């Protein structure tokens, strides 16, 4: 009898863990707004360098890749960093852009491809921003800490 109770409890625990993971999928990412912003994609090549960076442009602001979302907790959660969905990259409504939740100045974006396999969100920073890096952002390794 103890064995049956243990098996049932183990099955319930597994189901609870899997259900918890299923609830977390998509958690934090809001749908496209009614009138989404459309960002154009370009390229920025710093003076004296051979290679450039993908840029995102909207409303006179240019954003360049800066890093990733710093995962939090034992489940390595990144959903806490997503603010409102702002729009998408021109030509693909699944290539979404979100505000960074702890960015009061609107100079940080999260780019995430909805429906992709193994997608990792990328954090973009406004090209002319010199402010502090939010706690939720983990700079790419080649970036210099401020």
């Amino acid at each position: 009898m103890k064995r049956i109770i243990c098996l049932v409890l183990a099955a319930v625990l597994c189901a609870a863990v899997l259900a918890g993971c299923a609830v977390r999928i998509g958690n934090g990412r809001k749908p496209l707004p009614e009138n989404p912003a459309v960002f154009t994609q370009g390229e920025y090549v710093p003076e004296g360098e051979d290679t450039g960076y993908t840029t995102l442009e909207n409303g006179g602001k240019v954003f360049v890749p800066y890093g990733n979302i710093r995962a939090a907790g034992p489940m390595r959660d990144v959903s806490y960093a997503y603010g409102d969905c702002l729009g998408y990259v021109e030509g693909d409504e699944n290539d979404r852009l979100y505000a960074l939740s702890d960015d009061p100045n609107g100079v940080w974006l999260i780019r995430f491809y909805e429906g992709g396999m193994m997608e990792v969100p990328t954090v973009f920073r406004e090209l002319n921003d010199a402010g502090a890096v939010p706690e939720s952002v983990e700079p790419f390794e080649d970036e210099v800490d401020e």
Side-chain angles (χ1 to χ4, degrees), residues 10-143:
V12 168
L13 180 61
C14 287
V17 168
L18 292 175
C21 290
V23 169
R24 297 182 72 77
I25 293 173
N27 199 11
R29 292 191 308 271
K30 298 174 182 156
L32 277 172
E34 204 169 297
N35 295 310
V38 179
F39 290 73
T40 56
Q41 188 167 289
E43 186 177 21
Y44 170 70
V45 181
E47 193 173 315
E49 291 189 24
D50 295 335
T51 58
Y53 304 97
T54 296
T55 62
L56 298 172
E57 301 174 28
N58 182 272
K61 292 183 177 182
V62 177
F63 298 87
V64 294
Y66 188 84
N68 297 310
I69 298 171
R70 189 177 310 277
M75 296 292 287
R76 306 215 23 95
D77 180 36
V78 296
S79 64
Y80 74 94
Y82 285 88
D84 290 333
C85 182
L86 303 173
Y88 59 91
V89 177
E90 186 175 35
D92 190 349
E93 288 190 12
N94 289 325
D95 197 351
R96 306 268 175 92
L97 295 155
Y98 300 85
L100 188 67
S101 64
D102 57 349
D103 171 28
N105 301 320
V107 295
W108 296 88
L109 299 175
I110 300 171
R111 183 179 189 177
F112 184 81
Y113 195 83
E114 294 291 337
M117 298 291 291
M118 306 282 292
E119 290 296 321
V120 176
T122 303
V123 178
F124 281 68
R125 182 181 197 171
E126 185 180 359
L127 184 62
N128 296 319
D129 179 60
V133 177
E135 283 292 317
S136 61
V137 177
E138 185 174 317
F140 290 132
E141 289 182 21
D142 62 340
E143 295 292 330

